[in-house]
């Protein structure tokens, strides 16, 4: 029994109480890893299957002695102060976003070196790409090599770019094996769906689920802004492939099927079976157009996403409809 435990690969997931971190813990367990999760909070929507879970603050350097040792094979760093356009692109949260996430990344890297961890994954973002390549909603350019000259459109994007450089520096100077993915709008069940940090797929699912047939919903902007959306299971698959690979350069992890926010709303509406009017209002919008360029990741990892958007949105909508229904029938659940 002991010998069997000793051969298990051991992973620490930072941000295991969050959306992608929670799904990653499930995936690592299904592959037979021993997993330690850490987060400010326990997952909100379902039980964590992590072997151990520490509720703690990764900004605190003293936490890391409890988390890391040379027996840890992989550290997955997904903890960040983040949200969707309503949280990141108003300017109201810039200081906290930069300060909190930078402290976490500085601590994680130093602790990995001190504790002899060999390999670290870092979740960067499409928000690192320059504004000047994302002005035309029909022709954004998010090839990895276009990230410089740098001009991210948010402080969140600047912190992610700084962090990418930090991981690269620790790799260069301390021989740490680092793997960096630039996530492009990840969605799916058990993601943040209300409260102000939700992204467009969850926000539109919630608004449509809560609306009466024949009523109306609001979306921010004219709806012609474009994005691509990647289902969370695909994201986790790409993370695992990247972590096992020899690919040291940052790669996009996203879907390359670009659609407008108007099309996203129409698709969710079709899934809901409702006919609703769309009111287009002022709101935080971020870049005008964005799409994942998957040329590099396909060449390096042979990965391309399989789940089609309609299927992913169907399962996301069903989960959010259930949350909305629970909220309506349970007065103890906080309202959005
Ligand atoms: P999430 O907000 O659901 O998860 C992040 C987790 O980090 C949260 O559970 C939060 O409590 C935790 N955290 C924050 N500060 C912490 C601290 N000081 N100590 C411990 N834990 C702390 O977000 P997510 O969607 O799961 O994103 C995971 C990572 O991927 C983040 O780094 C995010 O920036 C990046 N990313 C996500 C997307 C996306 O579309 N979801 C896109 C680009 C990049
Ligand atoms: N969140 C949200 N809620 N967005 C809406 C809404 C709404 O009700 N209505 C329209 N939108 C529009 C936003 O104005 C924006 O133009 C677009 O939908 C996409 O918004 P989000 O999904 O919130 O964010 P994003 O794609 O701009 O950025 C997200 O993805 C990045 C990676 O691609 C964020 O989650 C970032 O954290 C992430 O790094």
């Amino acid at each position: 029994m002991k010998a069997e435990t000793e051969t298990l690969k051991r992973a620490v997931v930072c941000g295991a109480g969050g959306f992608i971190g929670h799904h990653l813990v499930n995936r690592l367990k299904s592959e037979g890893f021993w997993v330690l999760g850490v987060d400010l909070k326990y997952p909100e929507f379902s039980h964590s299957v992590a072997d151990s879970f520490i509720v703690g603050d990764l900004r605190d350097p003293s936490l890391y002695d409890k988390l890391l040792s040379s027996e840890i094979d992989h550290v997955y760093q997904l903890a960040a102060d983040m949200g969707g356009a309503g949280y990141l692109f108003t300017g109201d949260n810039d200081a906290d976003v930069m300060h909190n996430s930078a402290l976490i990344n500085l601590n994680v890297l130093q602790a990995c070196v001190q504790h002899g961890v060999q390999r670290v994954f870092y979740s960067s973002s499409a928000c690192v790409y320059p504004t000047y390549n994302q002005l035309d909603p029909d022709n954004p350019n998010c090839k990895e090599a276009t990230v410089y000259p740098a001009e991210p459109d948010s402080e969140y994007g600047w912190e992610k770019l700084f962090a990418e450089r930090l991981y690269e520096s620790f790799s260069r100077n301390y021989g740490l094996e680092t793997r960096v993915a630039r996530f492009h709008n990840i969605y799916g069940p058990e993601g943040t769906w209300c409260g102000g940090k939700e992204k467009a797929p969850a926000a539109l699912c919630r608004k449509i689920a809560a609306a009466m047939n024949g009523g109306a919903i609001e979306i921010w902007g004219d709806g012609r802004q474009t994005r691509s959306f990647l289902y969370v299971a695909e994201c986790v698959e790409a993370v695992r492939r990247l972590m096992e690979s020899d690919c040291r350069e940052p790669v996009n992890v996203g879907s390359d099927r670009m659609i407008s926010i108007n099309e996203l709303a129409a698709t969710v509406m079709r899934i809901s079976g409702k006919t609703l009017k769309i009111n287009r209002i002022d709101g935080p919008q971020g870049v005008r157009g964005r799409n994942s360029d998957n040329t590099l990741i396909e060449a390096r990892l042979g990965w391309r996403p399989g789940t089609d958007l309609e299927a992913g949105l169907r399962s996301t909508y069903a989960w959010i409809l259930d949350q909305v229904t629970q909220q309506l029938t349970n007065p103890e659940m906080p309202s959005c």
Side-chain angles (χ1 to χ4, degrees):
M1 187 64 196
K2 189 156 182 265
E4 202 177 278
T5 333
E6 276 166 5
T7 60
L8 288 183
K9 272 199 160 186
R10 297 167 75 87
V12 171
V13 178
C14 303
F19 170 46
I20 304 170
H22 180 56
H23 283 275
L24 179 62
V25 168
N26 291 340
R27 170 66 189 256
L28 289 166
K29 283 305 301 171
S30 75
E31 287 187 45
F33 276 77
W34 179 92
V35 182
L36 165 61
V38 57
D39 201 298
L40 285 173
K41 62 176 172 69
Y42 199 76
E44 283 169 60
F45 307 113
S46 64
H47 170 71
S48 175
V49 297
D51 297 274
S52 179
F53 197 104
I54 294 180
V55 174
D57 189 339
L58 290 157
R59 291 169 299 184
D60 174 3
S62 71
L63 181 69
Y64 292 82
D65 286 344
K66 282 195 230 161
L67 299 178
L68 301 181
S69 73
S70 57
E71 286 168 17
I72 298 298
D73 299 291
H74 290 172
V75 170
Y76 292 86
Q77 197 325 65
L78 293 103
D81 190 349
M82 69 86 71
Y87 185 70
L88 294 177
F89 306 148
T90 60
D92 294 347
N93 303 301
D94 288 348
D96 286 347
V97 164
M98 295 190 88
H99 179 256
N100 292 336
S101 297
L103 276 184
I104 296 170
N105 288 313
L106 289 161
N107 283 342
V108 165
L109 283 163
Q110 191 177 37
C112 282
V113 170
Q114 279 170 353
H115 291 87
V117 172
Q118 293 299 312
R119 192 166 282 227
V120 191
F121 168 83
Y122 175 58
S123 51
S124 183
S125 166
C127 290
V128 297
Y129 288 111
T131 309
Y132 56 79
N133 278 336
Q134 300 173 90
L135 297 173
D136 177 354
D138 299 323
N139 291 297
N141 183 357
C142 293
K143 268 191 184 305
E144 286 82 349
T146 63
V147 77
Y148 295 107
E151 195 199 347
D153 86 315
S154 64
E155 302 305 346
Y156 167 78
W158 278 106
E159 191 282 328
K160 288 288 187 193
L161 194 56
F162 161 75
E164 283 193 7
R165 299 188 70 99
L166 194 64
Y167 282 78
E168 196 185 335
S169 301
F170 271 74
S171 168
R172 190 184 312 127
N173 295 162
Y174 292 107
L176 199 59
E177 287 286 344
T178 58
R179 301 291 180 268
V180 177
R182 293 176 181 158
F183 291 162
H184 288 246
N185 212 318
I186 315 300
Y187 74 99
E190 303 198 44
T192 305
W193 64 280
C194 77
K197 288 187 169 181
E198 63 280 8
K199 294 180 291 299
L204 296 189
C205 285
R206 184 196 73 229
K207 290 176 183 185
I208 292 169
M212 300 283 282
N213 195 14
I217 60 155
E218 291 180 339
I219 66 170
W220 301 336
D222 63 8
R224 291 191 199 141
Q225 65 270 47
T226 53
R227 296 290 187 276
S228 68
F229 302 99
L230 181 70
Y231 194 63
V232 63
E234 307 279 359
C235 170
V236 166
E237 169 68 26
V239 169
R240 286 292 299 125
R241 284 203 198 190
L242 179 58
M243 197 60 159
E244 299 296 339
S245 78
D246 62 2
C247 180
R248 293 196 173 89
E249 61 208 300
V251 285
N252 288 329
V253 168
S255 160
D256 54 6
R257 178 175 165 199
M258 186 173 79
I259 64 163
S260 70
I261 298 302
N262 284 330
E263 289 171 292
L264 177 69
T267 307
V268 178
M269 235 184 269
R270 261 196 313 280
I271 290 167
S272 75
K274 297 180 189 177
T275 305
L276 301 166
K277 182 173 179 302
I278 295 182
N279 293 324
R280 296 173 178 83
I281 61 165
D282 276 350
Q285 290 177 50
V287 294
R288 196 67 186 137
R290 175 173 289 157
N291 192 16
S292 183
D293 185 310
N294 287 350
T295 316
L296 184 62
I297 191 165
E298 269 196 67
R300 297 301 309 271
L301 306 183
W303 174 85
R304 59 174 294 109
T307 311
D308 81 346
L309 184 64
E310 284 74 11
L313 286 173
R314 259 197 304 281
S315 70
T316 307
Y317 181 79
W319 182 79
I320 290 178
L321 178 62
D322 190 47
Q323 299 298 309
V324 169
T325 310
Q326 282 184 44
Q327 199 180 51
L328 287 172
T329 52
N330 179 0
E332 278 172 27
M333 257 179 98
S335 59
C336 290

